[in-house]
Amino acid sequence: MATWGEFAAAEPDMARDGRGLFYRVGIGLGYLATVRKDGGPRVHPFCPVIAGDGIYGFILNHSAKKLDLVRDGRYAIHSFPADEVDDEFYLTGTARAVTDDAEYAAAKASYEASGGKTDEGETLFEFLLEKAMYAKYKPRPDWPPVYRKWHAP
């Protein structure tokens, strides 16, 4: 697994483009897929937060996605679709709950600076990266896209 910072150092253009897709409306937007207790997928909209060397998410304490991440940290994150082109950005890996106060404060400050709000009813998770994929399309209709892929060392 790697941090967002390690990924960005290895693939700066891909990280820049992926970040742009997450933050294209100001606040980070994406879909978070987690693994249910029965092994099936569960997909939720959420707000990814890129702060410092990490990519994070504030997850409601009473939500199914928090229970999924605590029990089985595997995840996938996918960018929201854009209106004008079908570009995609996708991450997979393992999440961990953040317990460090300074790391929490940095993620919270970044989230609030983009317009997000959080409180004590949420847990901060860092999403460690195993794989990333970026698909670049020309204006619609276009197929196939140009794919870029990265795997953690």
Side-chain angles (χ1 to χ4, degrees):
M1 296 294 157
T3 65
W4 176 268
E6 292 166 332
F7 160 64
E11 291 288 343
D13 293 340
M14 190 174 174
R16 180 201 63 230
D17 293 344
R19 181 186 183 110
L21 286 177
F22 284 144
Y23 283 94
R24 66 183 182 80
V25 298
I27 194 166
L29 293 175
Y31 292 104
L32 172 64
T34 59
V35 181
R36 294 188 322 229
K37 193 174 189 176
D38 67 3
R42 187 188 321 265
V43 179
H44 326 261
F46 92 121
C47 297
V49 179
I50 298 173
D53 284 337
I55 182 166
Y56 302 93
F58 288 94
I59 308 297
L60 289 170
N61 288 334
H62 65 275
S63 71
K65 63 187 158 198
K66 181 197 175 197
L67 296 174
D68 291 346
L69 292 172
V70 168
R71 189 190 68 264
D72 180 335
R74 292 178 295 164
Y75 75 87
I77 297 172
H78 196 284
S79 60
F80 269 25
D83 296 330
E84 63 283 348
V85 70
D86 293 324
D87 293 0
E88 303 173 67
F89 185 59
Y90 169 85
L91 302 168
T92 63
T94 303
R96 69 165 186 93
V98 172
T99 57
D100 180 80
D101 291 341
E103 186 178 13
Y104 182 94
K108 182 177 180 181
S110 180
Y111 185 48
E112 290 176 347
S114 71
K117 295 183 184 348
T118 186
D119 60 36
E120 298 79 37
E122 296 177 303
T123 297
L124 179 65
F125 285 86
E126 180 182 16
F127 298 97
L128 299 172
L129 285 64
E130 179 182 12
K131 297 178 184 177
M133 186 275 301
Y134 182 83
K136 178 69 177 166
Y137 292 80
K138 294 178 183 169
R140 292 184 188 118
D142 181 51
W143 187 260
V146 175
Y147 290 102
R148 288 186 279 172
K149 297 179 182 180
W150 171 86
H151 297 269

